[in-house]
């Protein structure tokens, strides 16, 4: 099976025409969201009070990672985590949000004796998701039946004990999905409409929102792999034909990108290559690498879910993925997303010019415990990987270099 990114066959063409209709006539410019950003009180932003005695989780490592390849950083539950780096001295910092309180902490991963440093003393219970955008953390939580989203603008990363107040800005309610630009300067988010969904651009602090595009689908996932292009795709569903669109970040012009059964897609940082998977078709569940220049697809020797991969910023066409360590059923993605299945996973690197390479097996000889991985992050120097374990949402590190 060789799916091509020119939208395969007459079935795809009929689908796209019927689906889109007058799509290109939808508004793509001007205007703020129908729901204006909410704020605390009457001010546009709220500044945290100075943190006098920060609450520090006593389960974070007080020593450098040691000799194990897989090592625990925090018991959790952690809503989201990423890497930031400081210069003078060069230090790799793990930045994380506690799910129960919404508190944000920095932990110097490669500094012996380091303890977590609190960045925000604002309590926001029940954080379910974090999208990192530069020095901002866009958090989501459920309040009764309303999905709330807020941008927390954090101080610049530093190893100093001094604290600088953070600022908070609420975004519209019930955002479908959020993505951050590669440079961390902007965010994009989706709001449901009677005709489908509208996409908006805003600064990372949530201000300056403007409508960028409209699509006639109310359920979409959004990513922003490269500065000039966003990707909006229908959530994968086993055996159901779904479609992905590319969206120009400046004009909002959108184009069908790929159409396939149970499609999941992840583009690299130059949009020169995609990882995408399909399920429910004649070939079963397969993950492919697509070369944009040549138009050729090649099946991977393992079958990760593309959304469980992160692309390297140093090595061209290289990705790090979490993948099931044993056989999983063809409808694995649906079962996993619904919480009906949990499997042990391993971390694998893939390079378009070579075979896949096993990086680490949590719970094996590399250390750690058997893990179903909820999220991955890669540090800028590519010495470490972070992952959050599904279930208890504990935070773990993986050493890539000795």
């Amino acid at each position: 099976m060789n799916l091509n990114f020119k939208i395969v066959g007459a079935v795809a063409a009929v689908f796209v025409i019927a689906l889109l209709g007058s799509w290109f006539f939808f508004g793509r410019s001007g205007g703020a969201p129908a729901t204006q950003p909410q704020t605390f009180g009457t001010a546009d932003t709220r500044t945290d009070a100075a943190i006098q005695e920060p609450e520090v989780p006593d389960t974070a490592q007080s020593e450098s990672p040691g000799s194990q390849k897989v090592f625990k950083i925090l018991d959790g539950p952690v809503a989201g985590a990423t890497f930031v780096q400081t210069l003078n001295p060069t230090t790799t910092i793990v930045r994380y949000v506690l799910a129960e309180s919404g508190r944000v902490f920095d932990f110097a991963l490669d500094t012996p004796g380091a303890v977590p440093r609190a960045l925000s003393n604002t309590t926001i219970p029940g954080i379910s998701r974090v999208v990192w955008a530069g020095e901002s953390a866009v958090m989501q939580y459920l309040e009764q039946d309303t999905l709330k989203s807020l941008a927390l603008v954090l101080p610049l990363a530093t190893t100093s004990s001094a604290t600088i107040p953070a600022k908070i800005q609420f975004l519209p309610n019930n955002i479908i999905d959020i993505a951050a630009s590669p440079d961390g300067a902007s965010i994009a988010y989706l709001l449901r409409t009677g005709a489908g969904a509208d996409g908006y651009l805003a600064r990372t602090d949530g201000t300056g929102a403007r409508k960028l595009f409209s699509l006639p689908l109310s359920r979409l996932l959004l990513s922003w792999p490269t500065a000039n292009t966003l990707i909006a795709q229908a959530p994968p569903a086993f055996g159901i034909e779904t479609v992905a669109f590319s969206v120009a970040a400046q004009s909002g012009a959108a184009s069908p990108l790929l159409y396939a059964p149970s499609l999941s897609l992840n583009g690299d940082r130059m949009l020169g290559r995609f990882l995408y998977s399909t399920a429910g078709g004649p070939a079963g569940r397969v993950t492919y690498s697509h070369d944009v220049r040549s138009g050729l697809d090649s099946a991977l020797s393992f079958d990760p879910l593309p959304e469980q991969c992160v692309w390297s910023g140093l090595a061209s066409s290289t990705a790090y993925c979490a993948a099931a360590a044993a056989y999983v059923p063809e409808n694995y993605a649906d079962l996993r997303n619904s919480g009906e299945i949990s499997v042990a996973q391993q971390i694998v690197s893939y390079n378009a010019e070579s075979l896949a390479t096993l990086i680490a097996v949590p719970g094996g000889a590399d250390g750690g415990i058997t893990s179903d991985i909820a999220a991955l992050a890669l540090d800028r120097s590519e010495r470490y990987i972070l992952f959050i374990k599904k279930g208890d949402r504990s935070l773990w590190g993986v050493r890539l270099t000795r």
Side-chain angles (χ1 to χ4, degrees), residues 194-390:
D198 288 343
Y200 291 85
L201 288 188
R203 302 183 187 95
T204 53
D205 63 2
T207 62
R210 66 179 180 90
K211 191 171 80 171
L212 180 67
F213 65 95
S214 296
L215 287 172
L217 297 172
S218 60
R219 296 181 66 239
L220 288 168
L221 302 175
L222 195 62
S223 60
W224 201 335
T226 188
N228 298 323
T229 308
L230 295 91
I231 294 175
Q233 57 185 308
F238 180 70
I240 297 176
E241 303 283 354
T242 51
V243 64
F245 303 89
S246 64
V247 180
Q250 296 299 319
S251 67
S255 302
L257 185 62
L258 179 64
Y259 173 84
S262 191
L263 174 67
S264 176
L265 182 147
N266 186 346
D268 71 10
R269 301 188 186 195
M270 299 300 292
L271 279 188
R273 186 171 294 273
F274 293 90
L275 295 180
Y276 71 95
S277 64
T278 69
R285 193 177 79 86
V286 186
T287 302
Y288 296 93
S289 174
H290 174 81
D291 187 304
V292 174
R293 178 176 295 181
S294 68
L296 296 177
D297 300 318
S298 55
L300 272 62
S301 59
F302 65 114
D303 287 321
L305 300 175
E307 61 267 29
Q308 283 197 285
C309 298
V310 291
W311 288 96
S312 168
L314 301 180
S316 176
S317 300
T318 295
Y320 296 88
C321 304
Y327 169 80
V328 291
E330 189 178 355
N331 61 340
Y332 165 60
D334 289 46
L335 295 174
R336 186 175 190 276
N337 291 336
S338 65
E340 298 177 58
I341 190 173
S342 181
V343 301
Q345 292 190 310
Q346 54 197 8
I347 298 174
V348 180
S349 70
Y350 165 77
N351 187 293
E353 307 303 327
S354 63
L355 297 175
T357 302
L358 182 63
I359 297 296
V361 182
D366 296 318
I369 61 175
T370 301
S371 300
D372 190 344
I373 294 172
L376 285 177
L378 180 66
D379 84 298
R380 188 181 305 171
S381 62
E382 301 191 9
R383 295 188 299 145
Y384 297 107
I385 284 176
L386 283 179
F387 73 84
I388 296 173
K389 180 181 176 293
K390 282 189 71 176

